[in-house]
Amino acid sequence: MFPKTLIAFATCALVANVSAKNAITNGDMEYGDGGWYLWNNPAGPAEASSKIGEPGIGFNGSQGAVVSIRSKPKDWWGLQLQPPKFLADTIFYELTFKAKADKGGAINAVVQGGLPDYRQKTSSSFVLTPEWKTYKMKFFADQKGYGVNNVVFQLGYLTGNVYFDDVSVEPVEDGFDVNWYKNSAARIDSLRKQNLTAEGFAPGDTVKVSLKRHAFPFGTAIAFYGKMNDSLETWYQKTANKYFWYAVPENQFKWPEYEPKKGQIRREEMKKYLDFVKAYNWGFRAHTLIWGIQKYDYDKHFGNQGSCKEIAQKIHDRIDRDVKEYKGKIAEYDVWNEPIHETYLFDKCGWDLLDSSYVWAHRADPTAKLYINDYNVVAMGETERYYDLIKGMLDRKIPVMGIGVQCHFNGGKVVPALIKERLDRLAELGLPIKVTEFDMGTYDRGFAFSEEERAEQYEMFLRSAFSHPAVKGILFWGFWDSRHWIAGNGGFIAADGTEKLAGKRVYDLWHKVWTTNETLVADENGKVSFRGYPGIYELKTKKGSQSKRLGTLE
């Protein structure tokens, strides 16, 4: 059972060789501003101006572009330098450009569609320096035609002068393992199954062996709003248990939710989640100890107030108190959420806060697994920034123990070859990787594709992630439309409780495709041996049945 779109991805990636040629005209701006444009969002514009195609401002004094930014736009995407549109084939491309910024700082390179919604397809963030450097990003052009895979540079993080030159988009003729996804079933069989043995039977007994629950963590974000024994909450819990066996609280453990005012701690709310996973025998991870975001009124939270010394002390106290309190109950934490995107606290007080938070958490509970967590690092192309951040922490002996990759695909699609490349890069760090927040669709527009395509995209992603050796868990970020941050239709269960096609596909993968059901005969020692997925098994004979956990995770 493979998605139809697999064939399209495999075929288009094997297009006959195309000689390396820049698909963007006037990428070096040697013909003036032809096709270049500075877009400044009129709803909250930046104070900015540009010079494009002028001699002396490009690399080595050539013609180039400079954007002079005196104040930032209202939204970080509100100021964009847009190169000429190009005619794309449905193949892999590599964007290459030279850039520098007087004050340094991050920009986004984004591949987006055209009208009507300018759907963002992929992106990567780059940290510019005051010196010229060359930057690269690989992407898949998922539509064939003119102006449907536009490249733009989003500059809303910067002020001062930002320079660009030698922008090219060229076909990638090799470097992608286009057969990797086609071989996912064989890889799953090799990576995820083990030689298992159950004993305690009479010699010659017929034993029916059935996997009831994988040991591999497959889960979802959960959100409880009513009393746990209300009919709606009971339905919600039972529905979650049909598909999953691992949980993360969507919002309840975030500091402003858990302790909205100093000393006003919502322990009873958190207890609902711990009672739930105990009752259903689920695994559990806590999200998140620290999140530096300034939206959702989080900027008004007491943890963000005061001097840097006071903020650091508050963060220490939050981590020390709560990690100690839940020792033995919570074994895994996202210590810091979205550090490469939400940098307010670092910009104000320095990056030592990040390192210190992991040290404090490790001291509070040396047995807990401490994860870092961020988005656009696998679903999009911001992998290298994440790699560099984590590599620096490891070099400094900071106890970061796992890598969380959120995998919000927004309006983009799953491209297995790019997922492999990005996971491979992060896997070089030698830490376990968990997909912590998987979904598709934009928060304000919902899911834009058909339900059949959603099912295919879900299957493609699950096969890609489950077949990668570094991935040690997969979690959806919600499953029911009525409790999902994606507007209207982010879940695979509709608001009225009916299962969508994608929900059936998810269920079938874990319970019909990736499962083990065998009828065996016990040997002279009363043992049965077989190859299967580690997990909880039902072992049934004529005398009765028993449940037993067989196998272990790596």
Side-chain angles (χ1 to χ4, degrees):
M1 181 172 64
F2 282 93
K4 297 174 187 175
T5 46
L6 162 62
I7 300 171
F9 278 118
T11 303
C12 67
L14 293 171
V15 172
N17 280 349
V18 185
S19 60
K21 181 180 179 181
N22 191 359
I24 290 181
T25 59
N26 198 30
D28 56 8
M29 288 157 279
E30 295 302 311
Y31 298 99
D33 65 357
W36 285 82
Y37 177 67
L38 181 67
W39 180 78
N40 196 354
N41 187 6
E47 291 185 31
S49 59
S50 64
K51 296 179 181 179
I52 300 172
E54 292 198 6
I57 59 176
F59 180 69
N60 283 341
S62 64
Q63 291 179 215
V66 60
V67 181
S68 300
I69 308 168
R70 292 174 292 281
S71 69
K72 298 178 183 180
K74 176 184 176 182
D75 299 301
W76 55 265
W77 46 265
L79 184 67
Q80 301 179 6
L81 182 62
Q82 301 180 352
K85 297 178 181 179
F86 64 96
L87 178 64
D89 205 342
T90 44
I91 56 176
F92 290 100
Y93 287 92
E94 184 169 60
L95 165 70
T96 304
F97 63 98
K98 294 184 177 71
K100 68 175 183 175
D102 287 348
K103 298 181 180 180
I107 66 166
N108 287 337
V110 176
V111 179
Q112 65 181 27
L115 293 170
D117 60 356
Y118 298 98
R119 174 173 62 89
Q120 179 172 326
K121 299 179 176 183
T122 192
S123 69
S124 186
S125 61
F126 302 95
V127 178
L128 306 188
T129 70
E131 295 78 38
W132 283 104
K133 289 188 177 181
T134 299
Y135 302 90
K136 297 183 178 183
M137 177 182 78
K138 293 177 182 177
F139 66 94
F140 182 78
D142 65 347
Q143 292 173 278
K144 185 175 183 177
Y146 180 76
V148 292
N149 299 278
N150 304 312
V151 170
V152 302
F153 299 107
Q154 297 173 339
L155 311 179
Y157 293 113
L158 302 180
T159 57
N161 293 324
V162 189
Y163 299 83
F164 291 87
D165 200 359
D166 295 339
V167 179
S168 69
V169 171
E170 297 184 354
V172 178
E173 299 180 23
D174 53 29
F176 287 99
D177 186 351
V178 295
N179 292 313
W180 181 80
Y181 183 77
K182 290 197 293 185
N183 295 329
S184 62
R187 202 162 52 251
I188 288 169
D189 187 89
S190 174
L191 289 171
R192 302 303 180 185
K193 288 184 176 181
Q194 297 175 5
N195 294 324
L196 304 176
T197 299
E199 53 188 325
F201 308 103
D205 269 356
T206 298
V207 184
K208 291 185 177 179
V209 176
S210 302
L211 176 66
K212 295 303 178 184
R213 178 177 289 180
H214 281 263
F216 182 90
F218 179 58
T220 182
I222 51 176
F224 299 134
Y225 295 130
K227 293 182 179 180
M228 296 297 280
N229 58 357
D230 286 352
S231 59
L232 181 61
E233 292 301 323
T234 299
W235 170 85
Y236 178 78
Q237 294 169 56
K238 290 182 177 179
T239 302
N241 192 55
K242 174 183 176 180
Y243 298 93
F244 305 105
W245 49 91
Y246 198 79
V248 59
E250 182 178 8
N251 292 308
Q252 193 55 51
F253 199 61
K254 293 170 182 172
W255 193 5
E257 306 290 336
Y258 184 69
E259 188 183 11
K261 295 182 179 179
K262 185 172 177 59
Q264 182 184 316
I265 305 171
R266 294 175 172 172
R267 290 186 175 90
E268 287 304 310
E269 289 298 311
M270 190 63 181
K271 186 175 183 296
K272 292 180 181 179
Y273 295 84
L274 296 173
D275 288 347
F276 167 77
V277 296
K278 183 178 180 180
Y280 283 88
N281 194 28
W282 279 31
F284 188 76
R285 69 191 313 269
H287 171 86
T288 173
L289 288 168
I290 304 296
W291 189 21
I293 196 167
Q294 298 297 290
K295 294 192 295 185
Y296 316 122
D297 287 335
Y298 280 25
D299 58 316
K300 300 174 184 176
H301 185 249
F302 75 89
N304 286 317
Q305 309 306 313
S307 67
C308 288
K309 183 178 180 180
E310 290 169 333
I311 289 172
Q313 186 63 50
K314 292 172 186 176
I315 290 173
H316 168 272
D317 293 348
R318 144 72 162 172
I319 291 172
D320 186 68
R321 178 195 66 202
D322 296 330
V323 174
K324 283 180 177 176
E325 179 171 341
Y326 291 108
K327 184 177 181 180
K329 297 178 181 179
I330 298 176
E332 181 177 305
Y333 295 88
D334 286 334
V335 176
W336 203 293
N337 191 46
E338 300 175 2
I340 65 173
H341 289 96
E342 303 299 339
T343 62
Y344 169 80
L345 290 175
F346 304 136
D347 295 341
K348 178 178 179 178
C349 299
W351 284 83
D352 286 349
L353 279 177
L354 179 66
D355 289 359
S356 296
S357 295
Y358 283 82
V359 173
W360 295 331
H362 186 55
R363 287 175 181 169
D365 182 0
T367 67
K369 300 295 183 184
L370 308 180
Y371 271 68
I372 195 166
N373 194 47
D374 219 316
Y375 64 90
N376 281 1
V377 295
V378 169
M380 300 289 178
E382 300 179 23
T383 317
E384 204 62 27
R385 281 189 68 191
Y386 202 36
Y387 176 95
D388 290 344
L389 178 69
I390 299 168
K391 177 67 163 55
M393 295 174 72
L394 293 174
D395 289 346
R396 295 189 297 275
K397 309 300 182 185
I398 303 303
V400 55
M401 303 170 189
I403 302 171
V405 296
Q406 290 186 9
C407 293
H408 300 292
F409 277 82
N410 298 304
K413 294 184 179 181
V414 175
V415 183
L418 289 175
I419 290 174
K420 175 189 184 297
E421 180 176 86
R422 294 161 184 169
L423 286 173
D424 282 351
R425 178 58 170 159
L426 293 175
E428 292 176 16
L429 293 165
L431 297 177
I433 297 171
K434 279 189 178 173
V435 175
T436 53
E437 306 180 23
F438 168 64
D439 56 36
M440 303 188 76
T442 59
Y443 75 94
D444 55 343
R445 299 174 186 172
F447 188 81
F449 311 121
S450 70
E451 287 303 322
E452 181 178 356
E453 186 163 15
R454 184 206 296 259
E456 291 185 353
Q457 290 287 301
Y458 278 16
E459 178 173 352
M460 190 177 293
F461 178 76
L462 288 175
R463 285 185 179 274
S464 297
F466 193 45
S467 70
H468 196 284
V471 173
K472 306 303 182 184
I474 303 170
L475 291 91
F476 276 66
W477 199 245
F479 62 93
W480 181 32
D481 281 355
S482 293
R483 293 187 187 175
H484 207 291
W485 79 293
I486 299 289
N489 64 349
F492 60 69
I493 302 294
D496 65 3
T498 58
E499 181 185 64
K500 300 179 185 180
L501 183 60
K504 183 179 186 304
R505 188 72 62 89
V506 170
Y507 180 87
D508 286 352
L509 280 173
W510 290 102
H511 295 86
K512 296 181 180 180
V513 179
W514 301 327
T515 191
T516 306
N517 291 287
E518 302 272 359
T519 300
L520 306 166
V521 177
D523 64 16
E524 66 276 11
N525 297 311
K527 297 180 180 180
V528 292
S529 298
F530 59 98
R531 183 166 175 77
Y533 296 95
I536 298 174
Y537 278 83
E538 181 184 57
L539 307 169
K540 185 181 292 186
T541 67
K542 289 182 179 180
K543 298 176 182 178
S545 64
Q546 58 178 306
S547 292
K548 187 173 292 187
R549 183 178 293 274
L550 301 176
T552 58
L553 292 177
E554 295 178 1

